[in-house]
Amino acid sequence: MNFRNLFIASLSAFCFAGAAGDKQTPPGDFYDEVSRLNKVLSEVNRKYVEDVNPTELTDAALNGIRNILDPHTTVFTPKDYEGLKVSMEGKFGGVGITISLRDNILTVISPLSGTPAFRLGIRAGDRIRKIDGKDTKGLSLDDAVSKLRGKIGSDVTISIEREGVPDLMDFTITRAEITVHAVPYYGMVTSDIGYIKLATFSDKTTSDVENAIRSLQKQGMKKIILDMRYNPGGLLNQAIEISELFLKQGNVIVSTRGRTQRTESRARRDGIVKQDVPMVVLVNQGSASAAEIVSGALQDWDRALIVGKTSFGKGSVQTIFPLDNQGNALKLTTAFYYLPFGRCINKPENGIKGLSLQEEEYGEEDSESKTDSVAADTAKRDTFYTNNGRMMFGGGGITPDVDVELSPMPWVMQVQERMAMYFKFAVKARPGLEASGAKIDANWTVPDSLYQQFKEYCMKDTNFMKVKSNALVGVDQLEKSIIREQNYMGDSSKTVSDSILAARISEMRKALENNRDAQFDENKDYIKDGLKRELLTAMVNDSVSTAFSLKRDEQLKEAIKYLSDMNLYKKTISAPAKKAAKPAAKDKKNAKKK
């Protein structure tokens, strides 16, 4: 495999929120500045009060360079470089999450289906604040990957900050061998609609997708859904080849633009899926890089309807440059990716200098206007049109043609998923179900008795019962605030416990605890589905479990709706009809006379 030109440099280090250097610093002569750096390093080596490890000194200088460029730019040691190759070849030991830097905070982009992190309920958007108790502030992506990987069977504890949850949440994850399957599932979701889940872009992605397409065609597929939600990307050549499966020969797929790099990739042949086969692509905030190239190319050529949520917006190119014969290498960001009709995939917050390349393209001369909000000059730059003439907007990422907001999950269900309560209970319940001769398959219905056992199991779990809702945490904080206020007023002997407020607080706490208990019965169907999902996985296989879960998938249901109504599909993917020009004032007067 050629690792010199990767679209993503590693499974877990593939996006960032970088910043440009100080714009007020005037540029100096490159070689004069290098000479200045060499003199500083030499003086430190010769005259510093204590001996300095040259390797540590060099590493510190290299880290400083990365900090003014972007977190993707880094120097690999021989061990790091081998780890990169292993991750791109599809197998490695770890927890099963794709991570990035967002606002300089280590962030989960997506958990990999079926992995330890996925089973424990790690979510896209979770911020990793600690690894094994140590703060992740200032930690590079590559260092984070190194800490998360380890011996199979060993544990690593990560402390997660999650939107809407006031305290850090600790997850202890047992490392396992992570095997990334490009197509973990495919099948027919209706009599004529085929479905392919595309999880990553590695060596064999194209062949796996081709095999899935041909199998579905034999099963009577007339329409197709390509699901790239939570797909973090992968190899560029695979993104191009996947796009070719659906486009016409000669269609532009993607181009790169950098200071020293300009390329354009076109489809080399007609796709194996005919152009008249209606198609939907599913994306969300966890879809990135290679997944965005494919979905964006299909959207630009009006080949597929995009359904879901706006994608991540990672569109920078990393190239690997060997530095010596020992295995050291430089991973350097060298360009941005652009869609067929000019949209830049990269979101400004994920970029090095944001839209600076686009500014140069459009001849932005006024430096003062560049420092203002990007919105000031987006009218020309950020408006694009698809092949059919549909208006698209820039700003990075792939904005879906049909936006589907998922229903919020009640907090008790969130805790159950996060703490893997369904998984744990399935393990506990399996022996009894097997002994009873229960036939667990896709048609099996979870009995009320099993639901009741699960409810009791949760109520007896000490860790589960310790978790509080935001409202309960708020009551605790209110109680503390009242005590502080009473002490401040000088009545240190008086506390909430002997005040009239105590009863009110107790009532609030009791009502909220009752609300927690009530959420079980209010969400009985969801809980039964969770139990069935885990039991199907444990007692049948992942494919049957996935097929069952898809029946409850709101975004997939929306995709099926559009593919089932060809009038709706064609109307959505076509350019809006042009309005007739309004008659001039004189013509209006004449029209009235008539």
Side-chain angles (χ1 to χ4, degrees):
M1 184 197 303
N2 180 3
F3 284 90
R4 283 178 58 83
N5 200 345
L6 297 180
F7 182 63
I8 294 179
S10 80
L11 179 68
S12 57
F14 84 121
C15 204
F16 58 89
D22 185 355
K23 292 185 178 180
Q24 303 303 316
T25 304
D29 178 81
F30 176 76
Y31 294 101
D32 286 347
E33 297 303 322
V34 170
S35 175
R36 183 162 66 100
L37 176 61
N38 282 336
K39 287 177 182 177
V40 170
L41 295 177
S42 177
E43 290 300 303
V44 170
N45 182 55
R46 291 172 53 229
K47 299 176 181 177
Y48 188 66
V49 65
E50 296 177 344
D51 288 340
V52 178
N53 185 325
T55 300
E56 292 180 356
L57 198 61
T58 302
D59 287 344
L62 292 173
N63 284 332
I65 292 172
R66 186 197 68 207
N67 289 339
I68 67 163
L69 298 177
D70 63 86
H72 277 326
T73 295
T74 189
V75 174
F76 285 124
T77 65
K79 181 180 178 181
D80 294 333
Y81 194 29
E82 283 304 310
L84 166 65
K85 293 179 181 180
V86 167
S87 69
M88 294 310 298
E89 286 166 355
K91 285 186 179 181
F92 56 93
V95 299
I97 54 175
T98 300
I99 58 174
S100 171
L101 285 175
R102 264 289 174 90
D103 299 325
N104 293 319
I105 299 171
L106 203 62
T107 303
V108 176
I109 303 308
S110 65
L112 301 176
S113 179
T115 62
F118 181 87
R119 289 188 178 279
L120 284 177
I122 302 295
R123 287 197 226 157
D126 284 347
R127 295 178 164 191
I128 303 175
R129 290 297 193 174
K130 295 180 182 178
I131 299 177
D132 282 334
K134 296 183 179 179
D135 202 310
T136 59
K137 185 177 181 180
L139 194 67
S140 73
L141 289 172
D142 295 313
D143 288 340
V145 171
S146 178
K147 291 178 180 296
L148 291 172
R149 290 182 181 175
K151 184 179 179 181
I152 293 173
S154 63
D155 290 341
V156 60
T157 299
I158 61 175
S159 299
I160 290 291
E161 177 185 72
R162 179 171 292 171
E163 187 70 29
V165 179
D167 299 319
L168 292 181
M169 302 184 299
D170 290 336
F171 293 82
T172 298
I173 310 173
T174 301
R175 296 181 179 97
E177 181 180 285
I178 306 300
T179 302
V180 182
H181 297 287
V183 180
Y185 176 83
Y186 67 88
M188 299 295 291
V189 290
T190 71
S191 60
D192 63 348
I193 300 175
Y195 169 91
I196 298 174
K197 174 63 178 176
L198 178 51
T200 189
F201 290 80
S202 54
D203 282 354
K204 299 178 180 179
T205 294
T206 302
S207 60
D208 288 350
V209 173
E210 271 196 68
N211 290 337
I213 289 172
R214 297 190 189 285
S215 176
L216 292 172
Q217 286 172 333
K218 291 178 181 178
Q219 297 176 52
M221 180 182 72
K222 304 298 181 186
K223 305 163 188 176
I224 186 170
I225 297 171
L226 182 64
D227 186 353
M228 292 192 290
R229 291 173 295 178
Y230 299 111
N231 184 322
L235 298 172
L236 171 62
N237 70 313
Q238 294 295 304
I240 293 169
E241 291 179 17
I242 290 296
S243 301
E244 285 178 332
L245 298 176
F246 307 101
L247 295 173
K248 293 179 182 178
Q249 183 177 8
N251 284 163
V252 175
I253 295 171
V254 66
S255 61
T256 66
R257 303 178 204 169
R259 290 173 60 204
T260 61
Q261 179 177 334
R262 276 183 177 265
T263 65
E264 183 179 80
S265 299
R266 294 175 176 267
R268 296 161 295 180
R269 60 183 183 274
D270 287 338
I272 64 172
V273 178
K274 294 181 179 180
Q275 296 296 300
D276 60 355
V277 172
M279 182 175 185
V280 166
V281 173
L282 291 171
V283 299
N284 65 5
Q285 65 276 17
S287 308
S289 54
E292 293 174 297
I293 285 181
V294 175
S295 54
L298 296 178
Q299 186 180 49
D300 266 18
W301 288 108
D302 300 295
R303 179 62 190 87
L305 202 62
I306 311 301
V307 174
K309 300 299 293 181
T310 300
S311 63
F312 188 83
K314 193 278 179 183
S316 59
V317 185
Q318 281 72 51
T319 305
I320 305 296
F321 299 98
L323 297 177
D324 51 37
N325 295 326
Q326 309 303 313
N328 293 289
L330 170 66
K331 173 165 65 93
L332 187 67
T333 300
T334 53
F336 286 124
Y337 281 102
Y338 291 81
L339 295 175
F341 294 107
R343 280 184 291 164
C344 182
I345 292 174
N346 217 61
K347 287 183 179 177
E349 62 266 32
N350 295 336
I352 300 91
K353 296 184 179 179
L355 301 174
S356 60
L357 287 177
Q358 289 184 356
E359 290 172 354
E360 293 170 12
E361 295 258 331
Y362 285 95
E364 298 276 341
E365 298 273 337
D366 186 358
S367 60
E368 291 185 5
S369 66
K370 290 183 184 180
T371 60
D372 293 334
S373 170
V374 175
D377 58 357
T378 55
K380 178 180 179 182
R381 183 182 60 217
D382 283 350
T383 302
F384 304 88
Y385 293 88
T386 68
N387 190 52
N388 283 348
R390 292 186 297 141
M391 183 183 290
M392 296 287 155
F393 296 99
I398 307 302
T399 302
D401 303 304
V402 181
D403 188 281
V404 183
E405 192 72 54
L406 297 178
S407 300
M409 185 186 298
W411 78 271
V412 169
M413 276 69 258
Q414 291 184 36
V415 176
Q416 289 170 351
E417 295 284 10
R418 175 172 66 82
M419 297 183 68
M421 299 302 289
Y422 300 117
F423 171 74
K424 293 174 183 175
F425 180 77
V427 172
K428 179 181 176 65
R430 180 176 181 174
L433 289 168
E434 288 177 331
S436 69
K439 184 182 179 182
I440 309 299
D441 59 19
N443 298 317
W444 177 68
T445 300
V446 176
D448 286 345
S449 58
L450 196 66
Y451 159 77
Q452 192 61 37
Q453 289 175 37
F454 174 75
K455 183 177 179 180
E456 293 170 2
Y457 174 77
C458 290
M459 295 299 192
K460 291 177 181 177
D461 188 283
T462 305
N463 292 325
F464 178 83
M465 294 302 290
K466 282 181 180 178
V467 180
K468 297 181 178 181
S469 68
N470 291 342
L472 276 168
V473 171
V475 171
D476 291 344
Q477 292 172 341
L478 175 62
E479 185 176 32
K480 291 176 182 177
S481 296
I482 292 173
I483 292 173
R484 282 198 301 268
E485 183 173 297
Q486 289 173 337
N487 290 336
Y488 177 76
M489 297 298 290
D491 191 0
S492 58
S493 64
K494 188 176 183 180
T495 66
V496 172
S497 61
D498 62 9
S499 74
I500 193 170
L501 296 174
R504 300 288 177 86
I505 290 175
S506 178
E507 288 172 6
M508 289 173 62
R509 186 174 283 115
K510 183 65 177 176
L512 290 170
E513 288 174 350
N514 289 340
N515 179 46
R516 175 193 60 197
D517 299 343
Q519 283 191 31
F520 277 87
D521 291 337
E522 290 170 2
N523 296 277
K524 187 175 181 180
D525 289 343
Y526 181 95
I527 292 173
K528 283 189 171 185
D529 284 348
L531 294 173
K532 183 172 179 178
R533 177 191 71 214
E534 290 300 335
L535 286 166
L536 286 174
T537 300
M539 302 177 69
V540 188
N541 58 54
D542 281 336
S543 293
V544 174
S545 176
T546 300
F548 167 73
S549 297
L550 289 175
K551 292 178 180 179
R552 291 278 187 175
D553 191 320
E554 295 176 36
Q555 292 173 336
L556 178 62
K557 286 180 181 178
E558 194 73 5
I560 293 172
K561 183 182 85 173
Y562 276 80
L563 288 178
S564 300
D565 184 343
M566 281 296 96
N567 289 330
L568 178 62
Y569 176 86
K570 290 175 182 178
K571 179 182 178 181
T572 309
I573 207 167
S574 300
K578 293 183 179 179
K579 295 182 180 179
K582 293 182 179 179
K586 184 177 181 181
D587 293 334
K588 286 182 179 180
K589 187 176 180 181
N590 292 335
K592 287 180 181 179
K593 288 181 179 179
K594 291 179 180 178

